[in-house]
Amino acid sequence: MTLDTIKEVIERAKNIVIFTHENPDGDAIGSTIATYLVLKEMGKNVDMVIPVFPSTFKFLPHADEVLEKPSLEKYDLAIALDCADIKRLDDPTETYLKSETRLNIDHHTSNGMFGDLNFVNPVAPACAQIITTMLEYFKTDISQEVATCLITGIVTDTGGFRYEGVTSETFEIASEFLGKGVKISKIYKESLNNISKEKFEARKLAMNRIEFIANGKIAYTYMTKEDMKKLNVIQSDLDGIVEIGRDVEGVEVSIFLYETDKGYKGSLRSNDYVNVSDICLLFNGGGHIRAAGCTLPYSLEEAKERVITQVKRFIK
Ligand code: 5GP
Ligand code: MN
């Protein structure tokens, strides 16, 4: 898909809607608001839809303009950002499917190419980095607000510039944005470091429960709906738990299961050699090589047993 075709489609469209994946993270939200602001600046009528907006990202500019559902029945163009699979698109009204043209911009290896136009770069460390590159290609002026949203996506999806996917371009973007006056240290603090008391208690419980399996190469923990109710936390408050196990010496794969209406959601991370996206694909999920997820429509015991059996096959 050439960027020129995408440009033409955007130029022709009047009404545009932006969606992202369910349980949105910093990359999903940063990419969404940045794209919204750029399209608004171009004079488009734009809606950005995020049905459940996590409080962590309320600090972003224009976060209060995010809608819970689309304001129109039909749009000329619908854009899916940071979403590998149409099933995960947080679009309760199925407006994406009803739109005239569907664009899919993403960086997941497992992307299903579900758009009419697909711009997918699996080696980009964040969807926000792809958008930055696109804007540079289009010679679009990147305002301080847009840069703030984009760098939030990059900072969060790279775990603060720590992951393998980080490229020299990532630092070039960060450097350029710092030059524009973007407060990267504030963004880092707000989106990665600061946690609510509830989040802290959730991490504490999950941490206490960590089990080390397969000679310490697998870390496993879980949370039930009942725990979440007791702790007064929602799904987005559980971010960061799976990384606790991953960062323990000797662990190759960390698994975190938490209960949802559809059974247990599995969140997997690896360190060096296990492709967790391939493992999650076995359960109709997906993601990246070192970070992936899936839904396990089973009891806790069964979900645990099934996922650990698959992970063990890949452990050396
Ligand atoms: P997390 O474990 O943080 O929820 O997700 C890790 C990565 O895997 C993210 O990039 C996320 O988009 C992706 N992911 C999580 N769950 C699913 C899923 O059920 N299906 C697909 N295709 N990707 C998922
Ligand atoms: Mn992402």
Side-chain angles (χ1 to χ4, degrees):
M1 180 49 46
T2 73
L3 285 176
D4 294 317
T5 314
I6 292 175
K7 191 167 186 233
E8 276 166 34
V9 167
I10 291 173
E11 273 166 2
R12 265 202 315 268
K14 247 172 50 199
N15 297 318
I16 305 177
V17 63
I18 307 165
F19 295 103
T20 187
H21 65 79
E22 55 189 17
N23 195 23
D25 52 18
D27 190 27
I29 295 166
S31 298
T32 298
I33 304 181
T35 306
Y36 165 85
L37 293 175
V38 168
L39 294 172
K40 274 256 176 209
E41 192 59 38
M42 288 172 74
K44 305 294 175 185
N45 176 37
V46 200
D47 282 344
M48 48 176 174
V49 178
I50 298 179
V52 186
F53 195 92
S55 55
T56 307
F57 298 103
K58 294 241 162 87
F59 76 93
L60 284 174
H62 302 269
D64 56 341
E65 288 162 41
V66 170
L67 304 179
E68 283 178 19
K69 58 180 192 322
S71 70
L72 301 178
E73 274 285 309
K74 195 169 187 287
Y75 292 80
D76 306 320
L77 175 64
I79 309 176
L81 296 177
D82 195 34
C83 184
D85 184 338
I86 185 84
K87 285 193 308 242
R88 296 199 75 220
L89 197 67
D90 212 349
D91 170 18
T93 48
E94 300 204 339
T95 303
Y96 185 81
L97 295 173
K98 284 182 252 165
S99 298
E100 196 61 39
T101 308
R102 293 160 287 247
L103 172 60
N104 162 24
I105 302 174
D106 184 37
H107 71 126
H108 292 86
T109 26
S110 61
N111 190 287
M113 304 291 176
F114 52 82
D116 302 309
L117 304 170
N118 300 287
F119 194 74
V120 177
N121 176 5
V123 296
C127 184
Q129 184 164 319
I130 300 179
I131 296 168
T132 309
T133 315
M134 288 175 90
L135 295 177
E136 281 167 356
Y137 180 84
F138 296 151
K139 299 198 169 37
T140 307
D141 177 55
I142 300 178
S143 68
Q144 197 188 98
E145 285 187 336
V146 170
T148 298
C149 297
L150 292 171
I151 204 71
T152 299
I154 292 172
V155 164
T156 52
D157 253 30
T158 59
F161 305 107
R162 283 179 305 157
Y163 298 156
E164 283 170 341
V166 169
T167 60
S168 60
E169 198 191 347
T170 316
F171 286 103
E172 280 160 21
I173 293 168
S175 162
E176 190 198 320
F177 288 1
L178 272 169
K180 284 181 193 284
V182 170
K183 304 273 180 289
I184 294 189
S185 61
K186 177 175 180 270
I187 291 165
Y188 202 107
K189 220 170 159 171
E190 294 273 6
S191 55
L192 291 176
N193 288 358
N194 289 357
I195 57 167
S196 63
K197 280 261 165 48
E198 289 82 7
K199 264 193 180 179
F200 174 78
E201 291 301 330
R203 285 190 193 180
K204 199 160 94 179
L205 177 67
M207 212 164 151
N208 269 326
R209 281 179 178 162
I210 290 188
E211 246 182 87
F212 294 99
I213 303 160
N215 290 327
K217 292 180 180 168
I218 302 174
Y220 165 82
T221 188
Y222 68 93
M223 195 154 300
T224 64
K225 269 189 185 174
E226 204 183 318
D227 298 324
M228 290 167 70
K229 208 168 141 198
K230 258 190 221 153
L231 294 164
N232 192 25
V233 291
I234 57 168
Q235 208 172 331
S236 60
D237 294 319
L238 306 178
D239 283 354
I241 289 180
V242 69
E243 283 85 5
I244 299 172
R246 179 202 60 191
D247 293 340
V248 177
E249 186 179 20
V251 170
E252 172 55 23
V253 176
S254 175
I255 305 165
F256 172 50
L257 301 185
Y258 59 92
E259 195 174 5
T260 68
D261 292 337
K262 298 176 204 151
Y264 278 82
K265 177 89 200 171
S267 192
L268 275 71
R269 298 291 183 271
S270 66
N271 273 308
D272 293 321
Y273 60 89
V274 173
N275 182 336
V276 286
S277 177
D278 280 354
I279 295 174
C280 289
L281 274 169
L282 297 170
F283 298 105
N284 298 315
H288 308 284
I289 297 173
R290 303 275 172 258
C294 56
T295 297
L296 301 151
Y298 313 110
S299 67
L300 179 61
E301 294 69 30
E302 195 176 347
K304 176 184 176 188
E305 149 73 20
R306 283 184 187 243
V307 74
I308 288 176
T309 302
Q310 290 307 324
V311 171
K312 276 185 177 162
R313 291 178 47 216
F314 295 89
I315 291 286
K316 286 192 234 169

